[in-house]
Amino acid sequence: MDSPVVALRPVEDSDLDALFRQMSDPQSVWMAAFTPDDPGDRSAFDAHLARVRNSPGITMRAVTCDGRLAGSIASFVLDGQTEVTYWIDRAVWGRGIATRALALLLELVPVRPLHARAASDNTGSLQVLQKSGFTIVGTEISFAPGRNRDIEETILRLDAR
C-alpha cells in the first residue's frame, strides 16, 4: 500500500465544519486532554479560529491526506516560547499523517527551539514528536479540561539541528 500524500495549506472557511467535528469528538478530546473548556461550543470555536487565522504571530495550516482534510497544525508563541500543536481526525490516526504534517510545519517554521506539550499518556502524540526530533525536557501536573481533572503533561523541545 502506498504512503498517504500529506500536505499543508491555509485553512479555508469551508474547513471549519469538519475541523469543529474533529475537535469536538469525545474520544479525541479525551486523548488531547488540553482543550477548550467546552469543545462543543461552536461560537467559541468560531471566535477562536477567527483570531488564530488572523494573527500574524500564528502559523496555522490545514492538514490534507490524499487531498482530503485530515486535521490542522499550528505554531504559536506562548510566554515567549514558540510551540507547536496539531489535531488529526481520529478516523485517520495511526497512518503517519501527524508525523508527516509536523515535518512539513518544521520546514515552514524555522524558529528553534520549538516546544510542544502532550498528555503523558498520549503515547501516539509523544511518538510523533519524538520521531520528529523533539526531546522530553520535563513534566508537570496541569488541569486538563478534556478530562476535567489534573493530569501529567510531558514537555518537549526541538533544538536547532
Side-chain angles (χ1 to χ4, degrees):
M1 186 164 118
D2 292 333
S3 296
V5 176
V6 177
L8 304 183
R9 63 165 172 73
V11 173
E12 300 167 356
D13 290 345
S14 60
D15 296 329
L16 298 180
D17 287 345
L19 290 175
F20 177 73
R21 280 192 304 276
Q22 292 169 13
M23 293 181 182
S24 60
D25 169 68
Q27 285 182 264
S28 300
V29 167
W30 189 90
M31 184 61 69
F34 299 95
T35 63
D37 290 336
D38 180 2
D41 183 339
R42 180 60 191 253
S43 295
F45 171 85
D46 288 341
H48 173 73
L49 264 281
R51 281 191 309 275
V52 167
R53 290 172 66 196
N54 292 305
S55 173
I58 297 174
T59 300
M60 181 179 191
R61 296 291 182 269
V63 176
T64 62
C65 177
D66 297 331
R68 299 183 63 172
L69 182 68
S72 63
I73 192 164
S75 71
F76 60 95
V77 177
L78 181 65
D79 298 331
Q81 296 183 337
T82 303
E83 295 199 20
V84 297
T85 186
Y86 48 86
W87 195 289
I88 301 299
D89 186 350
R90 183 168 54 89
V92 295
W93 285 357
R95 295 183 55 202
I97 295 166
T99 301
R100 182 68 188 127
L102 183 54
L104 293 170
L105 185 74
L106 295 178
E107 292 174 13
L108 192 61
V109 178
V111 175
R112 301 294 184 272
L114 278 175
H115 299 84
R117 295 170 169 266
S120 294
D121 61 0
N122 186 343
T123 56
S125 195
L126 291 172
Q127 287 174 352
V128 166
L129 291 160
Q130 290 178 297
K131 274 193 241 177
S132 301
F134 284 79
T135 56
I136 295 172
V137 295
T139 61
E140 65 184 32
I141 302 299
S142 302
F143 182 74
R147 299 189 191 173
N148 198 32
R149 63 183 173 92
D150 288 341
I151 66 166
E152 184 180 86
E153 184 175 31
T154 298
I155 305 161
L156 303 97
R157 184 178 64 228
L158 175 67
D159 292 310
R161 296 182 188 200

